[in-house]
Structure formats: C-alpha cells, structure tokens
Amino acid sequence: NRDTMSRKGVQQLNKIVIQYCKWGGSSKGVRDLINNGLEDLKSINPSLTVEVVQRSNKHPNVRGEYVTGIVKTISARNEDAEGVQKLVDSLKSQWGTKAKNWNKHRRITDQLCTQGPWSPFVDLKNVEVVREN
Amino acid sequence: LSVKNLLVCVATHSSFSSMLSRTLGAVSSSLPSRATTHSSCRIFSSCPSSSSSSLFLSRYASTTPAKPLSSVLTVPTYSPPSDTPSTDINSSSSDTNPELIRKYGPIVPQSFAVVHVGGKQYKVSKGDVITTEKLPVEVGDNIILDKVLLVGSKEFTAIGTPILTAAKVSATIEEQTRMQKAIIFKRKRRKNTQRTQGHRQYVTVMRITDIFMNYA
C-alpha cells in the first residue's frame, strides 16, 4: 500500500528533486543511488515525479515539493545510497506543513459529545444493565 | 424548535434500541458461552439521549428538573419501522471495506471509543486524527486497533473489564514524522555551567475510519 502517502486520500508530495555534484566527495552516496537505484525509486510510486539536477561544486540535497506549496530541503551530505533513500522516505511520509508540537493537540476532532452534554439534571442512576458477562 | 424534531429523535432511539434488545435477547436466551478469561463487558442501555431531550424540554418549558418523557409528551403518531434490517442504521460511507464488517461486526453509528495505543489512551470517534508514538507501519496502511476499553453511542455504553474483545477500531496511517524541536536547557546557577540539547520525537499520525462491535 505504498502508493498512498496521503492525507484523507490526497497525495501530499508532488515532486522530489535530488541535487548532486559530479565530482565532490560528499555526493558519492547520491551518485551511487542515481547510477543504480533510481529506477526503483521511481517505480515504487509512479505518481511521484523524481528529478535529478546536477549542481557542480555544491553539497547534495534532497528537496520535496508538496501540494501545499511548501518545499522541504534535507541535506544529503556524506550519506550512503541507503541514507539518501531514507531521506526520501521521510519526505514521503510527511505532510506539507511545518513540524508541529503534536503534544498540544493529540486528538483533532469534529465530533462533539455523542451522548449529550452533562447537566445537573442528567439522570445517571436509572441505567439499565442489559447484559453482563 | 418544534416538537416534530423531538418525535423523530425518540423514534430512532426506540427502533435502534429495539433491534439491540432483540439481538441481545436472542443471545441471552442461548448459551452463555464466549466468555473468555479477559473479556467481560457490561452494556448499559442508557438514558443519556432521553435525558438530553428532556433537557431540551426543560430549557423551553420550565426550569423544573427532568421528568420521564412519557409524562410530558402525548403518544406520538409516528410508528417505528418494523423488523427493518440493520443496513439502514449501520450504513456509513461507502469506503468501508465490507470484509471488515464481516470479520469484526457491524459498525457502531455515531459512537466513540476509548483506545489504548502506545502507552496512552485516546477517546476516539470517526474521522478523528490522533497522534501516537511511532509504530512500525507505513503511511497508507490500514490498521485495526485491538485494545478497546470502552464503546459508547447514544443508545448504549459498553464497558470492558478491562478490554472489549468484541470491539475494534480501524484507522489509516497518514503521517510518520518528527515533532517540533524541543530544546532542553539545563543550567547550574552561580557555577557558570549550562547545557543545551535538542530533541525531536518520532510520532505517527493516524485518522480513525470506523468503530466495529460484535453485538451478538
């Protein structure tokens, strides 16, 4: 089920751009990935476009462009091919938002109380026990 | 705010609860089997809906405390549907996998559940987004949450002691990220020592799709 990287069914990541240098030592892992494993990357998720850009004399980058318009860049400096793959996976599994403090809202909901709000007149004593195992 | 709305509310309550009582009555007459060591549950057929409607009355009629409904309302002219199959009440969106319904039981409509995930408990209903500790799943997976402690709807509350084995909650994984950076700052006063550390916790964000419960 790796095709969906989604929020309510909408795919969040549009495009991945891998920038590398042809001769720099920090780009070695990225170069290995491009030469050997790029087709695997592309085939896992066909709706995702993977671009490769050469930038000489610069350290390598992995950049993810999201549906929301946000661009997240992670440096792939001195990483193995596996490490670059992990960076791509981490971009895929994120939404296009800033990193939140999820501790503040661990549950986001639209539903208000199903059983009705409490009031001093709510009768909690006359409750029928229908079944007890 | 007319009395018509109230009557509809009462009718749906009665039809669902009659269906419930029929199924449970059938079970209670048969063998008391299926009691495993861990599962036992107490199902309460509840007043909350009636009390909320009596709240409704009391707000507009008078400020006296709630009386039972029969003393306030006359006999309603609406006749509840007889022996309708449960598909009308239990039908939710078409995204629900019919295999899940066959496996885990019918969907409980308009309900909430208390679920134990990652060392914490969450009160959960359909369409919620909850954040748990990192789980070994991938984005896009559909998972079933097993440790359900309580299921409540308008008509009943099922309390597990401690777990309801007949209830399941299904969810889809939406995100596997790290939270915002938390800076841990320690300082020893008057000793000229201080230390800064950053921390980003791994986290799984999931959206709840359905709450299933095997009534029978």
Side-chain angles (χ1 to χ4, degrees), chain B residues 85-103:
Chain B
S86 53
T87 48
D88 285 333
I89 295 161
N90 286 334
S91 66
S92 50
S93 63
S94 53
D95 331 346
T96 314
N97 200 348
E99 269 189 39
L100 292 179
I101 296 178
R102 223 180 301 134
K103 209 172 169 187

Side-chain angles (χ1 to χ4, degrees), chain B residues 8 24 45 71 84 89 102 106 108-109 118 125 127-128 147 157 172 176 200:
Chain B
V8 169
L24 292 172
S45 159
S71 68
T84 44
I89 295 161
R102 223 180 301 134
V108 187
S125 52
D128 283 2
K147 290 189 206 165
T157 314
T172 42
Q176 291 260 35
R200 293 196 70 187

Side-chain angles (χ1 to χ4, degrees), chain A:
Chain A
N1 222 351
R2 293 182 88 188
D3 286 352
T4 56
M5 358 172 259
S6 60
R7 179 178 187 173
K8 266 194 178 172
V10 177
Q11 188 184 304
Q12 292 297 299
L13 187 61
N14 274 336
K15 192 184 188 192
I16 281 183
V17 179
I18 304 177
Q19 296 173 342
Y20 76 108
C21 172
K22 240 186 179 176
W23 64 269
S26 54
S27 294
K28 191 176 176 230
V30 179
R31 262 179 270 136
D32 288 342
L33 179 75
I34 286 165
N35 295 331
N36 304 329
L38 194 65
E39 283 159 15
D40 295 343
L41 245 188
K42 287 186 178 176
S43 64
I44 280 172
N45 202 322
S47 51
L48 178 74
T49 52
V50 178
E51 258 187 42
V52 167
V53 173
Q54 192 201 325
R55 279 168 78 208
S56 332
N57 308 327
K58 301 272 181 193
H59 287 293
N61 268 339
V62 176
R63 196 172 81 211
E65 298 180 6
Y66 291 88
V67 160
T68 49
I70 286 179
V71 172
K72 292 193 183 181
T73 321
I74 308 179
S75 153
R77 196 157 127 179
N78 292 324
E79 295 264 355
D80 304 354
E82 279 181 26
V84 181
Q85 188 108 48
K86 277 191 186 173
L87 294 178
V88 172
D89 285 341
S90 77
L91 282 176
K92 263 201 253 168
S93 54
Q94 288 176 30
W95 292 348
T97 54
K98 256 180 145 184
K100 289 192 214 176
N101 184 4
W102 285 102
N103 272 327
K104 283 195 171 174
H105 27 254
R106 285 234 162 203
R107 176 196 183 206
I108 300 171
T109 179
D110 287 334
Q111 184 161 356
L112 306 173
C113 42
T114 46
Q115 294 181 342
W118 181 88
S119 85
F121 308 119
V122 164
D123 190 5
L124 291 174
K125 288 183 189 170
N126 299 333
V127 162
E128 210 187 301
V129 179
V130 172
R131 174 181 170 196
E132 194 164 343
N133 274 354

Side-chain angles (χ1 to χ4, degrees), chain B residues 1-124:
Chain B
L1 289 150
S2 58
V3 182
K4 220 195 258 176
N5 294 333
L6 231 193
L7 288 177
V8 169
C9 150
V10 166
T12 53
H13 164 88
S14 66
S15 65
F16 188 83
S17 63
S18 68
M19 179 204 88
L20 221 200
S21 57
R22 245 181 288 121
T23 55
L24 292 172
V27 170
S28 61
S29 62
S30 63
L31 297 167
S33 57
R34 282 215 208 179
T36 61
T37 46
H38 289 297
S39 89
S40 26
C41 69
R42 312 170 88 214
I43 300 181
F44 297 96
S45 159
S46 66
C47 299
S49 53
S50 58
S51 61
S52 65
S53 46
S54 59
L55 210 203
F56 174 96
L57 283 177
S58 69
R59 205 194 305 158
Y60 289 94
S62 64
T63 49
T64 52
K67 297 176 197 167
L69 258 184
S70 53
S71 68
V72 177
L73 272 184
T74 52
V75 175
T77 51
Y78 176 84
S79 56
S82 55
D83 283 65
T84 44
S86 53
T87 48
D88 285 333
I89 295 161
N90 286 334
S91 66
S92 50
S93 63
S94 53
D95 331 346
T96 314
N97 200 348
E99 269 189 39
L100 292 179
I101 296 178
R102 223 180 301 134
K103 209 172 169 187
Y104 299 117
I107 296 171
V108 187
Q110 286 183 334
S111 59
F112 66 93
V114 172
V115 137
H116 187 287
V117 192
K120 290 178 256 312
Q121 298 179 12
Y122 302 85
K123 181 183 157 187
V124 137

